[in-house]
Amino acid sequence: MTLPPLANKPCGGRYGDIVQAIGNTPLVELRRLSPKPDVRIWAKLESQNPTGSVKDRVARSLIEDAEDKGAIGPGMTILEPTSGNTGISLAMICARKGYDLKVVMPDNVTPERTQLLQMYGAQIVYSPGNQGSNGAVALALQMAEADPTYYMPFQYGNQANPLAHYNGTAPEILDELDGQVDAFVAGLGTGGTLMGNGRRFKEELGDRVKIVAAEPMQGEPVQGLRSLDDGFIPPIIDLSLLDRKIFVTNHDAVVWTRRLLDEEGIFAGVSSGAIASIAVRIANEMDEGNVVFIVCDDGWKYLSSGIYTRPVEEIENLDSTVWW
């Protein structure tokens, strides 16, 4: 039996500040990608946040947590390792609140990311690109240890990261689907999205909901995602919350990023393609129910890579630096 249609619910609203406008993102059904009539696939469009990514939620939570604890004082600079999105979100919020920000990121990121950080006034310190985000983390930790004037929120180990989703993203999804969530899929990155949403869904729905992680195969350069075999497991990750962990390849990410655009009109970043591929795989294994996945960011920061216009066989063989 086909599931009944869900009533539209309002998103957005009126706010007195751009930071307050973070969250309340649309949830959109992807009917063309669903393999079965009684299985509905939903994309949570985090690209609709002010700087175009889910990391706006995290950055706001990190800064507000530091403010509440009195961790940011006069003369201090906020320091954070990032592969791009968290840094951009922090840069916007810090500019709005009047904090100095320095980000550490790989030197082979796409130029759009560097430009956005500069536009918001952040200082950039580059780490070796061939070390990926792990290299940025290592360098930032060294800098923070050597200089007490830095305050590092450290999204990889700060519970304010998953709490942004526990208190924000997950309740929105539960409200939008009237509590009818059967599977939730997100990428394995810092772990915040999976842990925050996963914990809230398990508390509310128990074992009826499956929490699934999309993890890149070791050595596969899928932007925004990390393999746990690469030597660094973010401290906030609790693998016991996951029901499944499914590997995804660079080819999957590219093909499904294009499918999101071509079939559903969703202009998403590369990690979202990887996550969508796993969401559809999970949907194939179900007879009925709702599968929700996170569209982490939009595609504007990846335009220079050519992934939206070049033939797929050319794109998947590009140098891995393009993804960082």
Side-chain angles (χ1 to χ4, degrees):
M1 183 177 71
T2 302
L3 293 171
L6 294 174
N8 289 333
K9 295 184 178 180
C11 64
R14 185 176 68 181
Y15 305 96
D17 183 279
I18 189 67
V19 177
Q20 296 174 12
I22 293 169
N24 295 307
T25 54
L27 188 71
V28 176
E29 184 174 4
L30 308 185
R31 297 185 180 181
R32 293 176 181 83
L33 296 186
S34 178
K36 301 175 184 178
D38 290 342
V39 179
R40 306 177 79 170
I41 300 175
W42 302 88
K44 184 70 166 165
L45 300 186
E46 292 300 298
S47 56
Q48 300 303 302
N49 279 303
T51 75
S53 90
V54 68
K55 293 299 187 179
D56 282 0
R57 295 181 187 265
V58 174
R60 179 179 61 181
S61 183
L62 293 172
I63 295 300
E64 291 180 351
D65 176 71
E67 290 175 332
D68 291 343
K69 294 176 178 176
I72 307 174
M76 297 185 70
T77 296
I78 295 170
L79 174 72
E80 185 71 8
T82 177
S83 60
N85 280 333
T86 302
I88 293 166
S89 297
L90 281 170
M92 182 274 285
I93 293 172
C94 287
R96 184 67 187 82
K97 289 177 171 284
Y99 299 130
D100 291 329
L101 173 69
K102 185 176 289 186
V103 301
V104 182
M105 67 181 186
D107 61 15
N108 51 4
V109 296
T110 55
E112 293 93 339
R113 295 178 179 225
T114 297
Q115 292 165 12
L116 281 164
L117 285 164
Q118 291 171 338
M119 285 164 52
Y120 283 119
Q123 300 178 59
I124 303 172
V125 175
Y126 290 108
S127 58
N130 60 3
Q131 296 178 14
S133 58
N134 287 351
V137 170
L139 179 55
L141 288 171
Q142 292 174 12
M143 293 172 62
E145 185 176 355
D147 190 340
T149 65
Y150 287 132
Y151 171 73
M152 187 161 69
F154 196 52
Q155 60 176 327
Y156 297 93
N158 192 327
Q159 286 300 319
N161 179 353
L163 282 174
H165 302 289
Y166 181 91
N167 294 320
T169 319
E172 289 174 25
I173 293 170
L174 288 167
D175 180 59
E176 289 153 352
L177 291 177
D178 298 319
Q180 302 299 307
V181 181
D182 300 282
F184 175 78
V185 184
L188 190 56
T190 68
T193 304
L194 279 165
M195 296 299 102
N197 285 286
R199 188 174 297 114
R200 188 61 177 259
F201 290 145
K202 286 295 187 182
E203 288 178 4
E204 299 279 346
L205 305 173
D207 290 338
R208 65 157 287 188
V209 62
K210 302 304 179 187
I211 310 302
V212 183
E215 178 183 5
M217 296 183 68
Q218 189 175 21
E220 288 279 347
V222 181
Q223 188 282 326
L225 305 185
R226 66 171 56 250
S227 167
L228 296 183
D229 294 326
D230 284 342
F232 175 69
I233 299 178
I236 61 173
I237 289 181
D238 176 6
L239 295 177
S240 68
L241 271 176
L242 302 179
D243 291 289
R244 294 179 67 181
K245 194 157 58 78
I246 301 177
F247 288 117
V248 65
T249 67
N250 186 44
H251 177 270
D252 297 328
V254 171
V255 168
W256 283 89
T257 299
R258 291 282 283 269
R259 286 194 66 178
L260 284 174
L261 181 63
D262 296 341
E263 297 182 34
E264 295 286 356
I266 294 177
F267 181 43
V270 186
S271 65
S272 300
I275 297 164
S277 72
I278 300 303
V280 173
R281 175 172 169 176
I282 294 297
N284 266 294
E285 299 173 1
M286 297 168 52
D287 294 322
E288 62 180 8
N290 290 317
V291 180
V292 181
F293 75 96
I294 298 293
V295 174
C296 307
D297 63 354
D298 55 33
W300 295 108
K301 294 181 288 293
Y302 310 88
L303 281 177
S304 62
S305 70
I307 67 169
Y308 305 98
T309 54
R310 298 174 62 176
V312 171
E313 60 271 16
E314 289 183 16
I315 301 165
E316 63 177 303
N317 293 321
L318 289 176
D319 190 291
S320 65
T321 57
V322 81
W323 307 123
W324 294 107

